[in-house]
């Protein structure tokens, strides 16, 4: 019985390694060619794994790989910008400082991950409107990002810093500006 567990653990670890290699390679390929023009063969070549391996670890092919990139990078991006903005808010109690700190974190993240920035810029839809690909994961991530901005706008309205009465429209504009 222990041998079977070891084989399963080894197979799972190998699959996770392949998923990471493919995800990272696909990020570069999507950044260069865009989602629609990118080919699985290009991702295989870039990652150094076979097309069969890609289909084994990403049965949903390109859309599933795209979701994995968004989950990996997007979740980190949103978590980081929210945490830094919240920290600035708690330390300074100033909405503008918190928003600028979050924006600086966004710029730093994209500077550290230029392929992800290029991938995002190649999307067919602006972030303020909604996610480019309406996947469950990306929609949830987008809603979380907008939700944090809506909370900030509501706080600004409550403090008299912002004059608009539609915090969601303001949040979408803020995200689009970013």
């Amino acid at each position: 019985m222990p041998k079977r567990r070891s084989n399963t653990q080894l197979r799972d670890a190998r699959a996770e390694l392949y998923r990471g290699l493919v995800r990272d390679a696909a990020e570069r390929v999507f950044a260069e060619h865009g989602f629609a023009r990118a080919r699985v063969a290009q991702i295989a070549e870039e990652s150094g794994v076979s097309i069969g391996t890609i289909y084994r670890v990403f049965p949903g092919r390109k859309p599933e790989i795209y979701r994995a990139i968004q989950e990996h990078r997007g979740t980190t991006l949103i978590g980081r910008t929210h945490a830094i903005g919240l920290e600035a808010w708690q330390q300074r109690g100033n909405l503008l400082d918190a928003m600028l700190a979050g924006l600086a974190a966004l710029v730093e993240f994209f500077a550290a991950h230029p392929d992800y920035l290029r991938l995002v810029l190649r999307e067919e839809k602006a972030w303020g409107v909604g996610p480019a690909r309406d996947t469950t994961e990306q929609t949830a991530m987008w809603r979380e990002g907008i939700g944090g901005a809506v909370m900030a706008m509501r706080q600004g309205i409550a403090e008299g810093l912002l004059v608009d009465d539609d915090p969601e429209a303001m949040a979408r504009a803020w995200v689009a500006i970013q």
Side-chain angles (χ1 to χ4, degrees):
M1 185 70 97
K3 184 149 178 86
R4 178 174 287 164
R5 182 180 296 158
S6 293
N7 289 341
T8 300
Q9 289 172 333
L10 181 60
R11 185 182 64 242
D12 291 348
R14 188 179 303 122
E16 193 55 38
L17 174 68
Y18 286 142
R19 285 180 65 80
L21 288 169
V22 170
R23 183 197 62 228
D24 293 346
E27 183 176 334
R28 292 187 297 274
V29 171
F30 292 157
E32 184 176 341
H33 301 285
F35 179 83
R37 289 182 35 234
R39 300 288 171 249
V40 174
Q42 292 168 313
I43 297 168
E45 183 178 333
E46 179 73 22
S47 66
V49 303
S50 71
I51 291 175
T53 298
I54 291 176
Y55 290 157
R56 195 168 37 259
V57 297
F58 287 104
R61 300 188 174 136
K62 276 184 11 180
E64 188 175 338
I65 297 169
Y66 183 86
R67 282 192 298 273
I69 294 167
Q70 289 297 347
E71 183 179 309
H72 178 68
R73 292 281 188 231
T75 303
T76 302
L77 171 63
I78 288 173
R80 181 152 176 73
T81 56
H82 280 196
I84 288 176
L86 182 60
E87 181 182 327
W89 171 257
Q90 290 170 341
Q91 288 179 353
R92 299 179 207 130
N94 180 304
L95 177 64
L96 181 59
D97 285 348
M99 291 173 71
L100 291 174
L103 183 57
L106 179 78
V107 170
E108 289 170 6
F109 184 88
F110 280 132
H113 303 94
D115 289 326
Y116 185 63
L117 173 60
R118 289 177 62 211
L119 180 150
V120 168
L121 292 174
R122 286 186 175 274
E123 291 182 349
E124 300 88 22
K125 204 166 163 184
W127 280 16
V129 176
R133 307 208 182 303
D134 293 326
T135 64
T136 302
E137 298 85 356
Q138 192 171 6
T139 300
M141 183 179 60
W142 180 83
R143 285 191 176 137
E144 182 181 341
I146 289 291
V150 168
M151 288 181 0
M153 299 306 158
R154 283 190 179 128
Q155 184 66 36
I157 291 168
E159 292 178 10
L161 300 172
L162 304 173
V163 295
D164 199 328
D165 62 352
D166 189 347
E168 182 158 343
M170 292 170 56
R172 287 173 181 256
W174 175 249
V175 170
I177 289 168
Q178 292 178 352

